[in-house]
Amino acid sequence: MERRSLLRAAVLGGSTAAFGGSLWRGAAHAAPAQPGTGPYGSLGAPDTNGIRLPAGFTSRVIARSGQTVPGTSYTWHNAPDGGACYADGSGWIYVSNSEINPSGGASAVRFSATGSITAAYRILSSTRQNCAGGKTPWNTWLSCEEVSLGYVYETDPWGTKAAVRRAAMGRFKHEAAAADPVRRVIYLTEDETNGRFYRFVPTAWGDLSAGTLQVMVAGTGTSGSFTWADVPDPDGSPTVTRSQVSGSKSFNGGEGCHYADDKVWFTTKGDNRVWQLNLLSSTYELAYDDSLVSGTAPLTGVDNITGSASGDLFVAEDGGTMEICVITPDDVVAPFVRVDGQSSSEITGPAFSPDGTRLYFSSQRGTTGSSSGGITYEVRGPFRA
């Protein structure tokens, strides 16, 4: 496995960390960002929305839980969580889950080419604690129930087709999903202290009604090789899926999941780690581990994760300092967004608009600390191409 020593991790200037792990394409890495700056520079003072951003970036509120979305008559859901963006002609759509139980579900906001909000509507109802999920290559949203024996629901971001429960993808405490169009599989995380990392192999790509659920099999270390094994009973009853395959690797609280360029990354909140699987070599390793940082870790409470066109990863914090941190292909970790005055909340649902110029995310409980206080934001600025 191509790899630089993870043990040399160090905090630079208190806010930026250089990490090993040859995280992306295996190409020569550029010089790391300067200490204390990160790829976008230092965070500025809070703006009128209480958002700290690097120079050149601005924020706006696009929705608040329990209030009508501006320009529409639709009331935004409570506890906004995982999200994704979809091209919609010259505009786009942002989809967001609702992590409440019961009546979770998901909603969507539609934008024009100029970024004006043109509509908002429900795309999934009467489900339980919809936490994260994932976007498919055929432009549906997989909304995952974070409950025991939870399901994955395939939904239509345009709200014209009825949502469909995808029982073949297994029943467990689902968190996130990431589609791999090369191997034609969907990766799935499980939010349990002894959760597993799965992949679903559809019988036909583009149709999730039938297929095989598999679980990652590997040693107990933080790096090595892995294989996949079929889960005998994806229904998870009477034996839960994580206990059905001997040698399946345990992960401490699976959270966000992201696929790009023959790699898949996922986060585990119980030990504050970001894991990387190299799908070409069938090897795994740590991309980030705060326990190996000397000094104050720049990223704590790892949760949802997404990527940008530049190859940067953006990791949202559940608690911590209420930040979205960037991990660059040069193994630099630094804060990109910080939300002030909302320490009882968590950052959720980071997703880029199709043109890569806008980042959407939510503060799940906002300033109130309650699921009814959620706030969904847009950040606009000069993101790296």
Side-chain angles (χ1 to χ4, degrees):
M1 169 189 336
E2 183 183 358
R3 178 180 176 85
R4 290 185 285 165
S5 174
L6 186 70
L7 297 177
R8 66 177 176 81
V11 170
L12 306 175
S15 63
T16 306
F19 262 72
S22 67
L23 302 189
W24 276 255
R25 300 174 180 83
H29 291 294
Q34 292 302 308
T37 62
Y40 291 103
S42 300
L43 301 183
D47 64 13
T48 56
N49 297 317
I51 306 296
R52 294 179 181 266
L53 293 163
F57 290 86
T58 59
S59 76
R60 68 165 170 161
V61 173
I62 65 164
R64 294 180 183 270
S65 295
Q67 299 183 23
T68 56
V69 177
T72 78
S73 60
Y74 181 75
T75 301
W76 197 236
H77 56 258
N78 288 348
D81 206 285
C85 281
Y86 299 79
D88 177 42
S90 59
W92 59 93
I93 295 168
Y94 177 65
V95 167
S96 171
N97 277 345
S98 176
E99 194 189 10
I100 58 173
N101 188 8
S103 305
S107 303
V109 179
R110 181 176 288 163
F111 299 87
S112 71
T114 62
S116 298
I117 295 172
T118 61
Y121 45 90
R122 196 78 171 176
I123 63 171
L124 177 65
S125 300
S126 303
T127 54
R128 304 169 296 162
Q129 202 160 325
N130 297 78
C131 195
K135 179 180 179 180
T136 69
W138 48 94
N139 286 326
T140 60
W141 169 246
L142 302 179
S143 185
C144 297
E145 289 186 315
E146 189 196 6
V147 294
S148 179
L149 297 180
Y151 288 103
V152 175
Y153 289 82
E154 187 170 15
T155 68
D156 174 20
W158 286 263
T160 58
K161 298 178 181 179
V164 179
R165 188 172 69 188
R166 296 305 190 191
M169 299 183 76
R171 298 191 67 187
F172 52 87
K173 200 172 183 181
H174 283 277
E175 182 69 32
D180 176 352
V182 177
R183 279 146 288 272
R184 297 189 169 190
V185 301
I186 308 290
Y187 302 103
L188 301 161
T189 56
E190 181 178 27
D191 192 358
E192 299 275 7
T193 55
N194 62 340
R196 297 315 196 247
F197 189 71
Y198 303 89
R199 73 174 186 180
F200 178 68
V201 186
T203 302
W205 186 234
D207 179 357
L208 303 179
S209 62
T212 302
L213 183 68
Q214 298 182 322
V215 65
M216 178 179 168
V217 175
T220 58
T222 56
S223 65
S225 60
F226 68 88
T227 58
W228 300 100
D230 292 354
V231 175
D233 179 17
D235 193 52
S237 179
T239 303
V240 295
T241 55
R242 64 186 178 276
S243 299
Q244 292 183 25
V245 176
S246 177
S248 60
K249 185 169 178 60
S250 176
F251 293 98
N252 191 351
E255 291 285 341
C257 192
H258 175 69
Y259 168 86
D261 299 320
D262 297 311
K263 309 284 195 308
V264 61
W265 294 268
F266 63 96
T267 61
T268 50
K269 66 182 180 183
D271 47 19
N272 210 53
R273 288 169 166 173
V274 181
W275 299 81
Q276 174 196 286
L277 272 61
N278 184 321
L279 302 167
L280 294 178
S281 61
S282 295
T283 55
Y284 71 96
E285 60 184 313
L286 288 174
Y288 176 82
D289 182 355
D290 75 341
S291 70
L292 298 180
V293 177
S294 57
T296 303
L299 172 60
T300 57
V302 298
D303 203 303
N304 292 167
I305 184 172
T306 192
S308 68
S310 66
D312 294 332
L313 296 177
F314 286 76
V315 185
E317 291 186 333
D318 180 350
T321 49
M322 285 290 290
E323 293 177 343
I324 297 177
C325 288
V326 60
I327 306 179
T328 75
D330 306 317
D331 305 334
V332 173
V333 185
F336 171 75
V337 172
R338 183 181 302 151
V339 179
D340 276 7
Q342 301 185 33
S343 59
S344 295
S345 187
E346 62 184 275
I347 302 297
T348 60
F352 282 93
S353 60
D355 66 0
T357 65
R358 303 170 195 244
L359 175 66
Y360 295 92
F361 67 92
S362 295
S363 170
Q364 189 178 86
R365 295 177 290 279
T367 58
T368 69
S370 166
S371 62
S372 61
I375 309 172
T376 301
Y377 299 95
E378 174 193 88
V379 167
R380 189 178 183 185
F383 289 99
R384 305 199 303 174

